[in-house]
Amino acid sequence: MEKIKRLTIKELLRSAESMVNTRVDVKGWVRSRRGNKYVQFVALNDGSTIKNLQIVFDLAKFSEDDLKAVTTGSSIHVQGMLVASQGKGQTVEVQAEEFELYGTAPVESYPLQKKGHTLEFLREKAHLRPRTNTFGAVLRIRHALAYAIHKFFNDKGFYYFHTPLITASDCEGAGAQFQVTTLPLNELPRTEDGKIDYSQDFFGKMANLTVSGQLEGELGATALGLIYTFGPTFRAENSNTPRHLSEFWMIEPEMAFYEIEDNMDLAEEFIKYCIGYALENCRDDIEFLAEHFDKELIDRLNFVLHNDFVRLPYSEGVKILEESGKKFEFPVYWGVDLASEHERFLVEEHFKRPVILTDYPKEIKAFYMKMNDDGKTVRAMDVLFPKIGEIIGGSQREENLEKLEGRINELGLAGMDWYVDTRRFGTVPHSGFGLGFERLVLFVTGMQNIRDVIPFPRYPNACEY
Ligand code: 4AD
Ligand code: MG
């Protein structure tokens, strides 16, 4: 074949006007082939965009036999003239002059034959599902959101701060950690009193995968001022819900000199920026998902973008729930850790917009949150979203040495000396929050299940690939 610069389908469609009636070079995977004995149409996709490029094979030039192996899922390289298309659904198409087959995908064995496979079926074929329109769209949006997040913080003067994945501390104190060890599990070394001898383990102590980079993030913020983390976190809780993963990505900004109001302002601005960025830059993909899965998606995204979030203390939220007369599956009373049905009632039925709930009872929140003067509640803030429930969890941090040490002792936490040093030396008011990346992707794509917005989901009993 002639040496011509290969263009992605996205590039080609972008400059189609100036390229009409020139010879082009494209490569991709066949989505479908149809036609009659005079002409065959191939829908070609290369992942660069949701849009397929139509390749027209004139059967005066190619034999049926030539095209036999050009089946759904096969990969080809085509050269031909880019011409204005007479057909519906595309403005240009390629009139094939030459092609080569890279790889076949036999009809009998390639699993993604028809359109409209269920998401459950595709979850079983997660190694191939990125090749479907749906997952292509989700994964391109996921990428755009990741880029938007870095751009947002970079433009605001935040530094990307890398926190460890293997850690000896437990940030959230929920005990839902995966242990990291090289000890022989069938022959554990024991100390004299029968306990496992971690001094013989790889790190000389017990170690786990992190549930959050926050504690180390605070070390960064009390030095660099404004930092954010963006990395994987791991939770060994046995939650089989459409909103929980065992391995998920979290963005955790941490800001010196921020009080809780500044924290809320940042969270709202941040999440709106991400949604706005996706609406502007992922239009085709969002429209595809809206059409196929969620007709109200674009309205919902615009609504969140253009309305202020409600800000409300937990105590008032509980009062609204108690007085709602609604039958909840889980009971509501002051002190309870709100369930997703409660959060969604406040957001979807009562206020009909996102809600930032603040000042939770200290018993249901982590040790590091700043105590309010009432001695009962802490300066927490959870951002609650339609269809998702909690999308962000954060707080102002306890900067007072005595109070923080008091909480640590009350809860019997050990090995926190390095963390407490931030309060011993040059302590400052500071705040931060964590955004669950997949929950954001879930919201922006309108998908129903968090397992469908990460390429290779991990959840109880699922660790393929
Ligand atoms: O509320 P969480 O547990 O808060 C923290 O980890 C804090 N250290 C954050 C901070 O202040 N820096 O988790 C934060 C967010 C939740 O609001 C939710 O969006 C997401 O992380 N999240 C999960 N996402 C998917 N699967 C899970 N199992 C999740 N658990 C939490
Ligand atoms: Mg939380």
Side-chain angles (χ1 to χ4, degrees):
M1 263 192 251
E2 242 177 83
K3 218 130 191 66
I4 312 178
K5 184 176 159 25
R6 175 226 163 193
L7 294 179
T8 64
I9 293 174
K10 185 178 178 179
E11 290 167 330
L12 197 145
L13 293 178
R14 201 188 279 149
S15 47
E17 238 170 77
S18 63
M19 300 196 62
V20 166
N21 297 326
T22 62
R23 188 176 166 110
V24 295
D25 184 296
V26 288
K27 300 175 177 182
W29 293 270
V30 172
R31 279 290 154 79
S32 66
R33 174 163 66 85
R34 62 186 176 84
N36 51 42
K37 60 184 188 220
Y38 306 108
V39 63
Q40 292 277 309
F41 302 98
V42 164
L44 193 70
N45 190 283
D46 66 0
S48 60
T49 159
I50 187 97
K51 295 203 172 106
N52 297 329
L53 182 64
Q54 176 154 286
I55 315 287
V56 185
F57 288 89
D58 185 343
L59 290 189
K61 201 178 287 171
F62 301 94
S63 72
E64 298 242 15
D65 209 45
D66 290 339
L67 297 179
K68 205 172 62 217
V70 180
T71 56
T72 299
S74 65
S75 45
I76 58 172
H77 174 194
V78 183
Q79 285 192 358
M81 288 297 268
L82 188 73
V83 297
S85 173
Q86 274 98 58
K88 264 200 192 145
Q90 66 271 328
T91 51
V92 290
E93 61 194 19
V94 173
Q95 234 131 34
E97 283 165 9
E98 275 182 276
F99 88 97
E100 64 178 313
L101 185 75
Y102 285 129
T104 59
V107 176
E108 321 78 69
S109 51
Y110 184 59
L112 307 180
Q113 285 302 336
K114 57 177 174 72
K115 283 187 179 171
H117 285 302
T118 65
L119 295 170
E120 289 75 17
F121 171 83
L122 293 175
R123 229 170 275 150
E124 314 255 292
K125 307 276 176 220
H127 60 300
L128 291 172
R129 68 180 184 172
R131 294 193 188 186
T132 62
N133 286 332
T134 300
F135 284 87
V138 168
L139 295 175
R140 281 185 296 270
I141 293 170
R142 185 180 166 103
H143 158 80
L145 287 170
Y147 176 75
I149 286 162
H150 284 298
K151 181 159 168 50
F152 175 83
F153 285 119
N154 181 68
D155 290 355
K156 277 197 163 314
F158 281 64
Y159 296 107
Y160 183 23
F161 189 71
H162 293 108
T163 52
L165 301 193
I166 301 174
T167 174
S169 65
D170 180 2
C171 177
E172 293 307 299
Q177 293 186 294
F178 289 102
Q179 200 172 332
V180 176
T181 181
T182 52
L183 289 178
L185 294 181
N186 47 5
E187 225 181 308
L188 290 168
R190 302 272 170 185
T191 58
E192 267 167 23
D193 52 2
K195 296 212 174 95
I196 295 170
D197 184 4
Y198 282 109
S199 72
Q200 295 189 42
D201 203 348
F202 190 88
F203 297 106
K205 56 161 85 166
M206 190 174 163
N208 294 293
L209 292 179
T210 189
V211 296
S212 157
Q214 178 198 324
L215 301 185
E216 296 88 349
E218 287 185 49
L219 304 177
T222 51
L224 297 168
L226 303 171
I227 65 96
Y228 69 105
T229 72
F230 187 173
T233 49
F234 308 87
R235 302 220 176 158
E237 51 197 12
N238 197 4
S239 303
N240 273 295
T241 82
R243 281 178 292 279
H244 287 86
L245 289 165
S246 313
E247 176 180 299
F248 65 98
W249 288 62
M250 188 155 41
I251 298 96
E252 297 185 272
E254 192 69 34
M255 297 76 66
F257 314 111
Y258 271 46
E259 314 249 338
I260 190 166
E261 289 76 20
D262 310 310
N263 205 22
M264 288 192 274
D265 290 345
L266 182 76
E268 185 167 342
E269 184 189 346
F270 170 50
I271 211 158
K272 284 178 171 171
Y273 177 88
C274 294
I275 293 168
Y277 185 90
L279 275 170
E280 227 165 85
N281 293 278
C282 307
R283 202 67 201 191
D284 293 346
D285 289 320
I286 290 179
E287 277 170 5
F288 174 87
L289 294 173
E291 185 187 330
H292 289 84
F293 295 101
D294 185 347
K295 298 272 183 281
E296 286 152 25
L297 176 61
I298 295 175
D299 285 346
R300 193 181 316 116
L301 296 179
N302 277 313
F303 183 80
V304 167
L305 196 56
H306 298 297
N307 283 284
D308 290 342
F309 297 2
V310 173
R311 298 181 183 191
L312 186 80
Y314 165 94
S315 301
E316 286 179 36
V318 168
K319 209 187 288 161
I320 291 170
L321 291 166
E322 282 174 333
E323 290 168 1
S324 70
K326 176 122 177 157
K327 273 260 161 296
F328 292 111
E329 187 184 343
F330 299 100
V332 185
Y333 50 90
W334 196 94
V336 77
D337 200 358
L338 297 181
S340 167
E341 56 170 342
H342 307 134
E343 297 172 340
R344 291 183 59 178
F345 175 83
L346 290 174
V347 172
E348 291 168 21
E349 296 183 46
H350 189 81
F351 290 109
K352 298 195 168 43
R353 62 174 69 188
V355 175
I356 310 182
L357 220 49
T358 60
D359 305 292
Y360 283 71
K362 67 171 196 248
E363 287 78 14
I364 57 171
K365 289 294 180 190
F367 75 97
Y368 51 71
M369 296 192 182
K370 183 173 172 66
M371 188 73 70
N372 279 315
D373 292 340
D374 63 11
K376 288 195 304 196
T377 59
V378 288
R379 230 162 264 185
M381 49 160 256
D382 278 8
V383 180
L384 313 179
F385 253 42
K387 300 202 55 150
I388 307 288
E390 180 190 334
I391 194 162
I392 282 179
S395 75
Q396 185 165 342
R397 317 306 189 190
E398 184 58 77
E399 85 269 21
N400 179 285
L401 176 63
E402 285 72 39
K403 287 188 187 162
L404 182 66
E405 278 182 325
R407 247 347 237 151
I408 288 176
N409 293 335
E410 235 171 82
L411 296 169
L413 307 176
M416 305 295 298
D417 233 35
W418 55 272
Y419 178 72
V420 178
D421 264 0
T422 52
R423 280 62 165 177
R424 286 196 188 101
F425 310 119
T427 190
V428 292
H430 64 289
S431 300
F433 60 82
L435 168 74
F437 185 50
E438 284 74 19
R439 293 200 185 169
L440 175 67
V441 183
L442 201 55
F443 183 72
V444 172
T445 57
M447 299 298 280
Q448 300 291 327
N449 194 315
I450 200 163
R451 297 171 185 177
D452 296 333
V453 299
I454 184 166
F456 307 106
R458 269 85 183 88
Y459 47 93
N461 292 315
C463 190
E464 291 298 318
Y465 325 109

Coordinates of all heavy atoms in Angstrom, one line a residue, residues 171-172 211-212 214 235 237 243-245 248 250 252 254 368 390-395 397 432-436 439 450, ligand 1:
C171 N -6.6 5.3 58.0 CA -7.2 6.6 58.0 C -8.6 6.7 58.5 O -9.0 7.5 59.4 CB -7.1 7.2 56.6 SG -7.8 8.9 56.5
E172 N -9.5 5.8 58.0 CA -10.9 6.0 58.3 C -11.3 5.2 59.5 O -12.4 5.3 60.0 CB -11.7 5.5 57.1 CG -11.6 6.5 55.9 CD -11.9 7.9 56.3 OE1 -13.0 8.2 56.7 OE2 -11.0 8.8 56.2
V211 N -6.7 3.0 52.6 CA -8.1 3.3 52.4 C -8.3 4.7 52.0 O -9.4 5.1 51.5 CB -9.0 3.0 53.6 CG1 -9.1 1.5 53.9 CG2 -8.6 3.8 54.8
S212 N -7.2 5.5 52.1 CA -7.3 6.9 51.9 C -5.9 7.5 52.0 O -5.2 7.1 52.9 CB -8.2 7.6 52.9 OG -8.0 9.0 53.0
Q214 N -5.4 10.6 52.8 CA -5.6 11.9 53.5 C -4.5 12.2 54.6 O -4.0 13.3 54.6 CB -7.0 11.9 54.2 CG -7.2 13.2 55.0 CD -8.4 13.0 56.0 OE1 -9.4 12.4 55.6 NE2 -8.3 13.6 57.1
R235 N -10.8 -0.9 49.7 CA -11.6 -1.1 50.9 C -12.1 -2.6 50.9 O -12.8 -3.0 50.0 CB -12.8 -0.1 50.9 CG -12.2 1.3 51.0 CD -13.0 2.2 51.8 NE -12.3 3.5 51.8 CZ -12.8 4.7 52.1 NH1 -14.1 4.7 52.5 NH2 -12.1 5.8 52.1
E237 N -14.5 -3.8 52.6 CA -15.8 -4.0 53.2 C -16.6 -4.9 52.2 O -16.5 -4.8 51.0 CB -16.5 -2.7 53.4 CG -16.4 -1.8 52.2 CD -16.7 -0.3 52.4 OE1 -16.7 0.1 53.6 OE2 -16.9 0.4 51.4
R243 N -22.8 1.0 44.2 CA -22.0 2.2 44.4 C -20.7 1.9 45.2 O -20.0 2.8 45.5 CB -22.8 3.2 45.2 CG -23.8 4.0 44.4 CD -24.6 5.0 45.2 NE -25.5 4.3 46.1 CZ -26.7 3.7 45.6 NH1 -27.1 3.9 44.4 NH2 -27.5 3.1 46.5
H244 N -20.4 0.6 45.4 CA -19.2 0.3 46.1 C -18.2 -0.6 45.2 O -18.7 -1.5 44.6 CB -19.5 -0.4 47.4 CG -20.0 0.4 48.5 ND1 -21.4 0.7 48.6 CD2 -19.4 1.1 49.5 CE1 -21.6 1.5 49.6 NE2 -20.4 1.8 50.2
L245 N -17.0 -0.2 45.3 CA -15.9 -1.1 44.7 C -14.9 -1.4 45.8 O -14.8 -0.7 46.8 CB -15.2 -0.3 43.6 CG -16.0 -0.1 42.3 CD1 -15.3 0.9 41.4 CD2 -16.2 -1.4 41.5
F248 N -11.0 1.5 44.3 CA -11.5 2.7 43.5 C -10.5 3.8 43.6 O -9.6 3.7 44.4 CB -12.9 3.1 44.1 CG -12.9 3.6 45.5 CD1 -12.8 5.0 45.8 CD2 -12.9 2.7 46.6 CE1 -12.8 5.4 47.1 CE2 -12.8 3.2 47.9 CZ -12.8 4.5 48.2
M250 N -9.6 7.8 44.2 CA -10.1 8.9 45.0 C -9.2 10.1 44.8 O -8.0 10.0 44.6 CB -10.1 8.5 46.5 CG -10.8 9.6 47.3 SD -11.6 9.1 48.9 CE -10.4 8.0 49.6
E252 N -8.2 13.6 46.6 CA -8.3 14.1 48.0 C -7.5 15.4 48.0 O -6.3 15.4 48.3 CB -7.8 13.1 49.0 CG -8.6 11.9 49.1 CD -8.2 10.9 50.2 OE1 -7.3 10.1 49.9 OE2 -8.7 11.1 51.3
E254 N -6.3 18.8 50.0 CA -6.1 19.1 51.4 C -5.5 20.5 51.4 O -4.5 20.8 50.7 CB -5.1 18.1 52.0 CG -5.1 18.2 53.5 CD -6.4 17.7 54.2 OE1 -7.1 16.8 53.7 OE2 -6.7 18.3 55.3
Y368 N -10.2 12.4 63.0 CA -9.4 13.6 62.7 C -10.3 14.8 62.5 O -9.8 15.9 62.2 CB -8.6 13.3 61.4 CG -9.4 12.8 60.2 CD1 -10.4 13.6 59.6 CD2 -9.3 11.4 59.8 CE1 -11.1 13.1 58.5 CE2 -10.1 10.9 58.8 CZ -11.0 11.7 58.2 OH -11.8 11.2 57.1
E390 N -23.9 9.8 48.6 CA -22.7 10.5 48.9 C -21.6 10.4 47.8 O -21.2 9.3 47.4 CB -22.0 9.9 50.2 CG -20.7 10.5 50.6 CD -20.0 9.8 51.7 OE1 -20.7 9.0 52.5 OE2 -18.8 9.9 51.8
I391 N -21.2 11.6 47.3 CA -20.2 11.6 46.3 C -18.9 12.1 46.8 O -17.8 11.8 46.4 CB -20.7 12.4 45.1 CG1 -19.8 12.1 43.8 CG2 -20.8 13.9 45.3 CD1 -20.5 12.5 42.5
I392 N -19.0 13.0 47.9 CA -17.8 13.5 48.5 C -18.0 13.4 50.0 O -19.0 13.6 50.5 CB -17.6 15.1 48.2 CG1 -17.0 15.2 46.8 CG2 -16.8 15.8 49.2 CD1 -16.8 16.7 46.3
G393 N -16.9 13.1 50.7 CA -16.8 13.1 52.2 C -15.6 13.9 52.6 O -14.5 13.8 52.0
G394 N -15.8 14.9 53.5 CA -14.7 15.7 53.9 C -14.9 16.4 55.2 O -16.0 16.1 55.9
S395 N -14.0 17.2 55.6 CA -14.2 17.9 56.9 C -13.1 19.0 57.1 O -12.1 19.0 56.4 CB -14.1 17.0 58.1 OG -12.7 16.6 58.3
R397 N -10.2 19.8 59.7 CA -9.5 18.9 60.5 C -9.3 19.5 61.9 O -9.2 20.7 62.1 CB -8.1 18.6 59.9 CG -8.1 18.3 58.4 CD -9.1 17.3 57.9 NE -8.9 16.9 56.5 CZ -9.8 16.2 55.8 NH1 -10.9 15.7 56.4 NH2 -9.6 15.9 54.6
G432 N -10.1 19.4 54.1 CA -10.0 18.7 52.8 C -11.2 17.8 52.6 O -12.1 17.7 53.5
F433 N -11.2 17.1 51.5 CA -12.3 16.2 51.2 C -11.8 15.1 50.3 O -10.7 15.2 49.7 CB -13.5 16.9 50.7 CG -13.3 17.7 49.4 CD1 -13.3 17.0 48.2 CD2 -13.1 19.1 49.4 CE1 -13.2 17.7 47.0 CE2 -12.9 19.8 48.2 CZ -13.0 19.1 47.0
G434 N -12.6 14.1 50.1 CA -12.3 13.0 49.2 C -13.5 12.8 48.2 O -14.6 12.7 48.6
L435 N -13.2 12.9 46.9 CA -14.2 12.6 45.9 C -14.0 11.2 45.4 O -12.9 10.9 44.9 CB -14.1 13.6 44.8 CG -14.9 13.3 43.5 CD1 -16.4 13.5 43.7 CD2 -14.5 14.1 42.3
G436 N -15.0 10.3 45.4 CA -14.9 9.0 44.8 C -14.9 9.2 43.3 O -16.0 9.6 42.8
R439 N -17.7 7.4 41.5 CA -19.0 7.9 41.7 C -19.2 9.1 40.8 O -20.4 9.4 40.3 CB -19.2 8.2 43.2 CG -19.3 7.0 44.0 CD -19.9 7.1 45.3 NE -19.8 5.8 46.1 CZ -20.0 5.7 47.3 NH1 -20.5 6.7 48.0 NH2 -19.9 4.5 47.9
I450 N -21.6 1.0 39.4 CA -20.3 1.5 39.5 C -19.3 0.5 38.9 O -18.2 0.9 38.4 CB -19.9 1.8 41.0 CG1 -18.7 2.7 41.1 CG2 -19.7 0.5 41.8 CD1 -18.5 3.4 42.4
Ligands
4AD1 O1 -16.2 9.3 52.9 P1 -14.8 8.6 52.7 O2 -14.6 7.3 53.4 O3 -13.8 9.7 53.2 C1 -12.4 9.5 53.2 O4 -11.8 8.5 52.9 C2 -11.7 10.8 53.6 N1 -10.3 10.4 54.1 C3 -11.7 11.7 52.5 C4 -11.0 13.0 52.9 O5 -11.5 13.8 53.7 N2 -9.8 13.3 52.3 O6 -14.6 8.4 51.1 C5 -14.6 9.5 50.3 C6 -15.4 9.2 49.0 C7 -16.9 8.9 49.3 O7 -17.6 10.1 49.4 C8 -17.3 8.2 48.1 O8 -17.5 9.0 47.0 C9 -16.0 7.4 47.8 O9 -14.9 8.1 48.4 N3 -16.1 6.0 48.3 C10 -16.2 4.9 47.5 N4 -16.3 4.8 46.1 C11 -16.4 3.6 45.6 N5 -16.4 2.4 46.4 C12 -16.3 2.5 47.7 N6 -16.2 1.4 48.4 C13 -16.2 3.8 48.3 N7 -16.0 4.2 49.6 C14 -15.9 5.6 49.5

